[in-house]
């Protein structure tokens, strides 16, 4: 039986955000920091560094006076990877867009996200990715009854 002797640290995370809301618009932004640099690496070409992540998003409500309204969403995010590979830093840039449609008590959301991974060295991996998302949130209509 082999015991694992390397110390692994749980990363510390600090973050915060702000939101501004009107009847038609919601604008929000957030920032988070995760301390990965305390983790040792058993591979010499890999080092862990602290991760910084920032996001900005906006939601537009099409009919704010209706209890169920279609919402259009757009977001942008930027972060660095917590892995330093061969002394090259990796960065991620995300753009997402979507819409949420109410269907009775249920909400159907459709979205698309494009992510580009960029690196400071051209011989490291570069990646672009497109994701399509479908989300269904089931709701339940609550009825109020009187007990006598």
């Amino acid at each position: 039986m082999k015991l694992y002797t390397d110390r692994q640290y749980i990363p510390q995370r600090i973050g915060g955000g702000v939101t501004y809301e009107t009847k038609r618009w919601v604008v929000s932004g957030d920032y988070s920091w995760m301390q990965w640099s305390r983790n040792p690496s058993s591979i010499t070409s890999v080092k862990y560094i602290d991760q910084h992540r920032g996001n900005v998003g906006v939601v537009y409500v099409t009919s704010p006076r209706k209890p169920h309204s279609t919402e259009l969403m757009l977001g942008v995010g930027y972060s660095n990877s917590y892995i330093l590979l061969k002394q090259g830093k990796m960065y991620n840039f995300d753009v997402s867009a979507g819409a949420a449609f109410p269907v009775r008590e249920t909400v159907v959301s459709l979205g698309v996200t494009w992510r580009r991974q960029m690196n400071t060295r051209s011989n490291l991996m570069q990646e672009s990715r497109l994701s399509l998302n479908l989300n269904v949130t089931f709701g339940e209509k609550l009825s109020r009854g009187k007990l006598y």
Side-chain angles (χ1 to χ4, degrees):
M1 180 175 172
K2 183 179 176 184
L3 294 176
Y4 190 74
T5 57
D6 289 340
R7 285 191 142 185
Q8 293 291 322
Y9 296 98
I10 297 174
Q12 179 178 349
R13 181 181 183 144
I14 298 173
V18 294
T19 300
Y20 176 74
E21 185 174 354
T22 66
K23 288 183 180 183
R24 282 199 184 267
W25 294 94
V26 178
V27 179
S28 65
D30 64 71
Y31 169 81
S32 67
W33 167 81
M34 286 188 76
Q35 185 183 27
W36 290 97
S37 59
R38 291 181 56 186
N39 284 322
S41 175
S42 60
I43 302 171
T44 57
S45 63
V46 174
K47 180 181 176 186
Y48 296 110
I49 59 174
D50 295 344
Q51 184 180 37
H52 302 272
R53 179 181 302 221
N55 299 300
V56 176
V58 63
V59 176
Y60 176 74
V61 180
T62 58
S63 301
R65 294 185 183 192
K66 292 183 180 179
H68 300 290
S69 178
T70 301
E71 297 179 352
L72 305 174
M73 299 163 272
L74 181 66
V76 176
Y78 185 78
S79 66
N80 68 305
S81 176
Y82 63 92
I83 296 175
L84 187 66
L85 182 62
K86 297 181 182 179
Q87 299 301 315
K89 290 185 178 181
M90 294 182 278
Y91 299 94
N92 297 312
F93 178 70
D94 301 318
V95 177
S96 60
F101 306 99
V103 180
R104 294 189 183 165
E105 304 304 319
T106 301
V107 178
V108 177
S109 301
L110 299 171
V112 61
T113 302
W114 176 74
R115 171 177 259 191
R116 173 79 175 145
Q117 183 180 30
M118 302 164 289
N119 298 298
T120 56
R121 294 177 51 185
S122 61
N123 62 343
L124 293 177
M125 90 176 136
Q126 306 278 336
E127 174 183 82
S128 287
R129 177 176 64 201
L130 185 67
S131 303
L132 300 174
N133 307 299
L134 170 66
N135 181 45
V136 180
T137 305
F138 297 101
E140 182 177 327
K141 188 172 185 175
L142 298 176
S143 61
R144 295 183 181 202
K146 293 183 180 180
L147 296 174
Y148 293 100

